[in-house]
Amino acid sequence: MKKHNFYAGPSILSQYAIRNTADAVINFADMGLSLLEISHRSKQFQAVVDEATALFKELLDIPEGYSVLFLGGGASLQFAMVPMNLLAKKAAYLDTGVWANKAIKEAKLFGDVDVVASSKDKNYNYIPRDYTVPADVDYFHYTSNNTIYGTEIRKDPEVGVRLVADMSSDIFTRPVDVSKYDLIYGGAQKNIAPSGVTFVIVRDDALGHVDRVLPTMLNYKTHIDKGSMFNTPPVLPIFTALQTLRYYKELGGVKALEKLDLEKAETLYNAIDSSKMFQATIPNHEDRSIMNVCFVMKPEYAELEKPFFDFATENGMVGIKGHRSVGGFRASLYNALPLESVKALVACMKEFEAKH
Ligand SMILES: *Cc1c(COP(=O)(O)O)cnc(C)c1O
């Protein structure tokens, strides 16, 4: 039976990226060797890094003066690397969930952290709006898409200071005005590649303003100077990332991806909102993530949660169990997920509803 992959991360990749990676694992760039056994310093792999970097810049319209890096350590290492490299005195953070909190915790190790607003009072089911960011902070950090709760900030915040964002789960889903940012980072395992590589987009002039000692590997400058090749980078995930970026370009870039993503999200949210049995966990439509759609059974149908999960599983739906801190269901609709999979999930919900 056809499987529909709604995993939150690692998550669905395009068949194009998977097949090309599989081929390269057998024979990379006609070298007669596997991608798994070649030197990262070979000219064939250098070409991969160069093209991936160039496509990143092209697709996101990254201005001059920025570097794109492919690093290890996950988005979680960036929670520490960002303040280590950018926080001289004080930074502002927006608390919109688990990942934002982890970033806040690390930032506090390096300076004053002003948490300007939090949606913790309602289990993070909305995006705080009434807050001001002090003008004297080094940057304002926010999480653009809250993978666990299903909320998203789809507009670059207008807060009067330099921005830093964790875009792990919604990079390449909308045009971003990169010039407003000092740094954008994310784990690649949600919209780009298998786990193991982290992307960082950093404004070169934002660096060098802190006077703490930076370990070599944790200094962005090290990686900028060596073009992400200071040490052995994650070769396979970078190769897959390149395939994904080529695929994105072929589809028409971020504007085209956004259109597809909006259609998928609208299809699912409409089905949830018009259902007698299910309800979305994010009440305000503007705050709803188009990547991670969270929903639960209405209270009067609570006992049908497990039966629906089993029914959906029997019908090929994979990865729709909600995160333990929200419960219910979460369908992740990353770029590689076809509309057809969303329609299959909706059909499954309707069929189940008709039966009960
Ligand atoms: C998954 C995720 C992370 C964690 O990424 P790792 O690469 O596992 O460290 C951080 N932030 C967001 C928004 C995420 O979705």
Side-chain angles (χ1 to χ4, degrees), residues 113-348:
V113 174
D114 188 339
V115 179
V116 294
S118 168
S119 46
K120 190 171 182 177
D121 58 336
K122 291 191 175 158
N123 197 31
Y124 298 112
N125 77 350
Y126 68 102
I127 297 291
R129 284 177 207 280
D130 298 322
Y131 59 87
T132 43
V133 174
D136 63 343
V137 294
D138 297 314
Y139 60 84
F140 169 65
H141 177 286
Y142 76 103
T143 313
S144 57
N145 184 63
N146 298 287
T147 323
I148 293 175
Y149 305 90
T151 59
E152 188 175 15
I153 298 170
R154 296 193 58 76
K155 274 199 203 112
D156 304 314
E158 309 263 356
V159 290
V161 301
R162 303 296 302 164
L163 302 176
V164 171
D166 174 357
M167 295 196 183
S168 292
S169 51
D170 68 349
I171 189 79
F172 295 119
T173 69
R174 66 172 171 101
V176 175
D177 182 356
V178 176
S179 70
K180 292 192 167 133
Y181 292 79
D182 274 355
L183 197 143
I184 297 170
Y185 65 91
Q189 67 273 24
K190 283 144 194 162
N191 245 343
I192 307 177
S195 63
V197 66
T198 311
F199 67 85
V200 174
I201 302 162
V202 57
R203 189 171 67 91
D204 300 329
D205 288 345
L207 301 173
H209 305 302
V210 296
D211 47 23
R212 67 181 60 89
V213 172
L214 297 170
T216 309
M217 271 296 281
L218 301 181
N219 187 341
Y220 291 118
K221 193 84 177 42
T222 302
H223 302 286
I224 292 173
D225 291 348
K226 297 289 180 186
S228 300
M229 294 277 218
F230 170 73
N231 69 324
T232 319
V235 169
L236 183 133
I238 292 175
F239 179 87
T240 310
L242 171 60
Q243 308 312 309
T244 299
L245 298 173
R246 283 179 176 170
Y247 177 70
Y248 286 174
K249 184 175 172 175
E250 185 67 33
L251 286 179
V254 282
K255 286 216 178 91
L257 290 164
E258 180 176 45
K259 197 161 164 267
L260 294 169
D261 290 334
L262 285 169
E263 188 183 358
K264 287 185 287 176
E266 206 176 282
T267 303
L268 185 50
Y269 281 121
N270 282 345
I272 295 166
D273 289 340
S274 62
S275 136
K276 64 167 187 190
M277 194 175 273
F278 301 99
Q279 70 186 32
T281 59
I282 309 303
N284 185 356
H285 290 219
E286 260 180 75
D287 294 348
R288 289 177 173 180
S289 168
I290 66 167
M291 289 286 106
N292 311 99
V293 177
C294 296
F295 57 102
V296 292
M297 289 295 184
K298 287 184 181 169
E300 60 270 37
Y301 292 101
E303 79 284 0
L304 290 178
E305 180 171 316
K306 171 95 172 51
F308 174 69
F309 180 79
D310 293 341
F311 180 75
T313 305
E314 280 161 26
N315 283 281
M317 307 301 141
V318 180
I320 62 162
K321 200 166 176 48
H323 189 275
R324 63 190 176 281
S325 50
V326 179
F329 306 99
R330 168 175 56 175
S332 297
L333 316 182
Y334 296 120
N335 287 348
L337 185 89
L339 177 62
E340 172 208 341
S341 287
V342 177
K343 288 184 172 160
L345 175 59
V346 168
C348 195

Side-chain angles (χ1 to χ4, degrees), residues 11-69:
S11 44
I12 188 166
L13 291 168
S14 67
Q15 281 302 306
Y16 176 86
I18 292 173
R19 282 181 206 282
N20 287 350
T21 303
D23 288 347
V25 165
I26 303 300
N27 179 11
F28 168 62
D30 271 331
M31 289 177 80
L33 298 170
S34 166
L35 175 64
L36 307 179
E37 58 180 358
I38 49 105
S39 168
H40 61 295
R41 309 235 175 250
S42 62
K43 69 174 194 303
Q44 290 88 342
F45 186 70
Q46 185 63 54
V48 169
V49 174
D50 292 346
E51 190 185 339
T53 306
L55 274 177
F56 231 93
K57 291 186 173 175
E58 182 185 330
L59 288 166
L60 288 175
D61 209 1
I62 300 175
E64 288 290 303
Y66 282 78
S67 298
V68 173
L69 305 174

